[in-house]
C-alpha cells in the first residue's frame, strides 16, 4: 500500500490560498510519480476568521495538528488587523506549541534568477541559515510600566537556556556534516555562528561557548567560524560565497534571512521550514499575504513550491523533492522574472508547468 502523509494546510490570507493551491498541485504530481499518497486537510485560520469571530487559533487546533505528518502554511496577515495579533496568535503559537525549534532557510540562487548583488551568481549564493525558532526575544518576556507617561518603561528580553541553544547547534552541526559529505564545495567552507557577543555578553557568550564546546568535542572535523551579526549582514552582500551553514538565534535569524531572501532573488522564491526534528514541522513561503496581488493570478508560487520541496525532503521523499527542484529550475529558465506581475506567466501556469515536468521526470 502506498505510504500516506497527512498534511494540514493553512492557506491563510491574501495570496496565501493561491500559492498553496499550486504547491498542492505539485505535491500531487510528485506523489503520483513517487508512489506515495498525500492527504490534505484544510484549516481556515487567518484574518477572515479572526475578523468574524475574534478567534485566532484555538488550543483544540494545536492538539489536532499534532496528529498530522506535516503542516503547510500559505501566508497570514490583513491590513485591518493590528500587527502582532495574527503573528502571535497563529504563526508563533504553532511554532511554540509544536516545538518547531529550527527555522530552516535555504539561501540558494538558481540560474536565470536575478540577484541585486553585482557580479554574483548561483555558484556564489548557496547556503543555509539555521535560525533558532522558539527562544530569544520571541518568548515575550518583559513588559511595560507607566505606559503613556513620560516615564514609560518597556523591556523585551532575550531569553536562552543551554538546552535550547544546544539542540539548535546540534541540528546545525549535523546538517553541516551532511552537506560536507555531499559536496566538496560545501566541505571547503566553515559552519558559521552569528551573534553579537561583543555587546550581548551574556547570551552571546552562552551561544559561543556552546558552539565551541560542541564543535570541538563532537565535530572536530568541521571548520568553525564566528561573525557578529552586523558584520554577517555586510558579508552576505559582499562575499556570500564564504557561507555554507549559518546558525544563529531567533531575532538575528529573522533579520538576516530577509536579507538572504533578497540576495537569492526575492520573496517570490524564498522558502522556509519550521522544523521539529522529532515531531510535526510546518513549511511556508517566506513572503507575506500580499493583499494587493490577491486574486489576479500574478503572484509567484515558486516559494510555496520550494516549501513543498522542503516538506517532501523532510518526509523522506528525497527523489520527489529532487524532481521538484529540477522542475522548478527548468521553469525558472522560461520565466521573465521572479517578481509578482512580471513573471511573463501567470500563477497557475507556473504551477502547471512545474507539475507537468514533475509528472514526466
Ligand atoms: C518570519 C516572519 C515572522 C517572524 C513574523 C510574521 C512573526 O517575519 O517568519 O520570518 O518574525 O518570525
Ligand atoms: Mn521574518
Amino acid at each position: 500500500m502506498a505510504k500516506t502523509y497527512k498534511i494540514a494546510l493553512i492557506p491563510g490570507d491574501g495570496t496565501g490560498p493561491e500559492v498553496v493551491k499550486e504547491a498542492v498541485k505539485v505535491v500531487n504530481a510528485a506523489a503520483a510519480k513517487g508512489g506515495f499518497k498525500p492527504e490534505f486537510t484544510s484549516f481556515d485560520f487567518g484574518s477572515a476568521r479572526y475578523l468574524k469571530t475574534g478567534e485566532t487559533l484555538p488550543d483544540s487546533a494545536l492538539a489536532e495538528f499534532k496528529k498530522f505528518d506535516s503542516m503547510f502554511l500559505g501566508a497570514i496577515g490583513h491590513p485591518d488587523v493590528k500587527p502582532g495579533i495574527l503573528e502571535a496568535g497563529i504563526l508563533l503559537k504553532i511554532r511554540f506549541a509544536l516545538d518547531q525549534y529550527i527555522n530552516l532557510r535555504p539561501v540558494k540562487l538558481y540560474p536565470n534568477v536575478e540577484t541585486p548583488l553585482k557580479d554574483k551568481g548561483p555558484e556564489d549564493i548557496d547556503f543555509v541559515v539555521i535560525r533558532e525558532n522558539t527562544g530569544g526575544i520571541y518568548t515575550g518576556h518583559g513588559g511595560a510600566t507607566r505606559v503613556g507617561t513620560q516615564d514609560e518603561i518597556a523591556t523585551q528580553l532575550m531569553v536562552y537556556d543551554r538546552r535550547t541553544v544546544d539542540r539548535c547547534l546540534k541540528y546545525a552541526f549535523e546538517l553541516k556534516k551532511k552537506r560536507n559529505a555531499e559536496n566538496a564545495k560545501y566541505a571547503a567552507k566553515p559552519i558559521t555562528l552569528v551573534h553579537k557577543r561583543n555587546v550581548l555578553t551574556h547570551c552571546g557568550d552562552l551561544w559561543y561557548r556552546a558552539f565551541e564546546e560542541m564543535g570541538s568535542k563532537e565535530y572536530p572535523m568541521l571548520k568553525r567560524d564566528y561573525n557578529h551579526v552586523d558584520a554577517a549582514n555586510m558579508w552576505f552582500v559582499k562575499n556570500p560565497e564564504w557561507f555554507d551553514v549559518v546558525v544563529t538565534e531567533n531575532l538575528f535569524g529573522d533579520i538576516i534571512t530577509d536579507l538572504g531572501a533578497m540576495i537569492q532573488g526575492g520573496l517570490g522564491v524564498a522558502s522556509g521550514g519550521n522544523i521539529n526534528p522529532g515531531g510535526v514541522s510546518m513549511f511556508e513561503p517566506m513572503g507575506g499575504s500580499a493583499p494587493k496581488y490577491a486574486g489576479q493570478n500574478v503572484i509567484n508560487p515558486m516559494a510555496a513550491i520550494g516549501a513543498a520541496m522542503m516538506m517532501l525532503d523532510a518526509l523522506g521523499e528525497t527523489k520527489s523533492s529532487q524532481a521538484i527542484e529540477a522542475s522548478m529550475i527548468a521553469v525558472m529558465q522560461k520565466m521573465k522574472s521572479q517578481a509578482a506581475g512580471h513573471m511573463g506567466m501567470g500563477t497557475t501556469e507556473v504551477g502547471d508547468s512545474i507539475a507537468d515536468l514533475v509528472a514526466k521526470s
Side-chain angles (χ1 to χ4, degrees):
M1 219 182 73
K3 197 159 183 191
T4 301
Y5 297 112
K6 289 162 66 187
I7 299 167
L9 297 177
I10 307 179
D13 304 321
T15 52
E18 286 172 66
V19 299
V20 167
K21 204 169 144 211
E22 300 313 310
V24 166
K25 199 184 267 177
V26 172
V27 171
N28 280 330
K33 185 84 196 170
F36 61 92
K37 197 165 159 275
E39 263 175 29
F40 297 103
T41 308
S42 235
F43 293 85
D44 69 349
F45 303 113
S47 66
R49 182 181 171 128
Y50 173 73
L51 289 168
K52 209 161 73 197
T53 66
E55 184 176 68
T56 49
L57 185 77
D59 291 344
S60 59
L62 294 170
E64 185 78 6
F65 291 153
K66 288 183 185 158
K67 298 180 196 150
F68 284 82
D69 294 302
S70 192
M71 299 178 66
F72 196 89
L73 174 72
I76 302 259
H78 191 282
D80 294 347
V81 183
K82 198 179 146 205
I85 295 178
L86 299 170
E87 290 86 341
I90 300 179
L91 180 60
L92 300 181
K93 188 166 175 179
I94 294 172
R95 286 179 182 168
F96 291 145
L98 274 68
D99 207 15
Q100 294 164 343
Y101 62 88
I102 298 296
N103 196 316
L104 182 63
R105 299 210 163 156
V107 179
K108 185 168 179 178
L109 176 68
Y110 289 110
N112 197 40
V113 174
E114 211 177 336
T115 175
L117 300 188
K118 191 167 155 270
D119 302 332
K120 298 290 177 191
E123 63 290 351
D124 303 305
I125 303 173
D126 182 7
F127 61 95
V128 183
V129 179
I130 307 295
R131 160 186 173 191
E132 198 292 319
N133 210 30
T134 54
I137 282 181
Y138 279 75
T139 53
H141 278 255
T145 50
R146 306 171 187 168
V147 176
T149 73
Q150 286 299 309
D151 301 318
E152 180 165 350
I153 300 170
T155 60
Q156 202 110 34
L157 303 180
M158 182 178 277
V159 178
Y160 270 106
D161 60 88
R162 183 69 189 245
R163 184 188 71 98
T164 303
V165 172
D166 275 344
R167 67 181 185 172
C168 177
L169 292 173
K170 183 96 208 156
Y171 186 92
F173 277 118
E174 284 297 321
L175 179 68
K176 181 62 177 137
K177 204 164 110 183
K178 187 165 159 242
R179 283 171 68 91
N180 283 9
E182 270 165 22
N183 190 328
K185 184 184 125 184
Y186 299 150
K189 302 177 190 187
I191 174 172
T192 309
L193 172 70
V194 167
H195 211 290
K196 183 72 185 173
R197 75 185 185 104
N198 53 344
V199 175
L200 305 186
T201 48
H202 306 304
C203 277
D205 187 52
L206 168 57
W207 275 88
Y208 187 77
R209 273 186 294 109
F211 180 70
E212 285 301 305
E213 241 179 80
M214 190 179 288
S216 60
K217 282 197 190 131
E218 296 175 44
Y219 304 92
M221 70 301 262
L222 303 180
K223 280 193 275 290
R224 296 187 299 279
D225 196 4
Y226 168 86
N227 280 182
H228 294 318
V229 64
D230 46 352
N233 272 310
M234 198 170 73
W235 302 129
F236 271 23
V237 171
K238 192 168 175 290
N239 295 101
E241 68 278 6
W242 287 352
F243 296 98
D244 180 39
V245 170
V246 175
V247 57
T248 190
E249 71 86 44
N250 205 343
L251 180 66
F252 293 156
D254 177 49
I255 296 168
I256 67 174
T257 51
D258 265 24
L259 179 57
M262 280 304 119
I263 68 173
Q264 77 183 108
L267 291 176
V269 295
S271 322
N274 302 275
I275 314 275
N276 176 339
V280 184
S281 302
M282 176 168 70
F283 298 84
E284 52 171 335
M286 267 182 70
S289 58
K292 72 172 180 183
Y293 294 123
Q296 299 167 45
N297 198 37
V298 296
I299 194 75
N300 192 353
M302 203 58 88
I305 294 168
M309 161 189 87
M310 292 175 70
M311 177 173 78
L312 293 186
D313 185 50
L315 288 170
E317 298 295 338
T318 317
K319 272 202 171 139
S320 295
S321 170
Q322 287 166 349
I324 294 177
E325 185 174 41
S327 307
M328 284 168 56
I329 294 172
V331 172
M332 281 167 169
Q333 306 319 301
K334 298 185 198 145
M335 293 169 72
K336 288 210 180 83
S337 160
Q338 298 299 318
H342 301 277
M343 302 187 293
M345 273 188 194
T347 307
T348 51
E349 207 183 335
V350 174
D352 286 341
S353 312
I354 296 174
D356 278 355
L357 289 177
V358 168
K360 287 189 206 130
S361 64

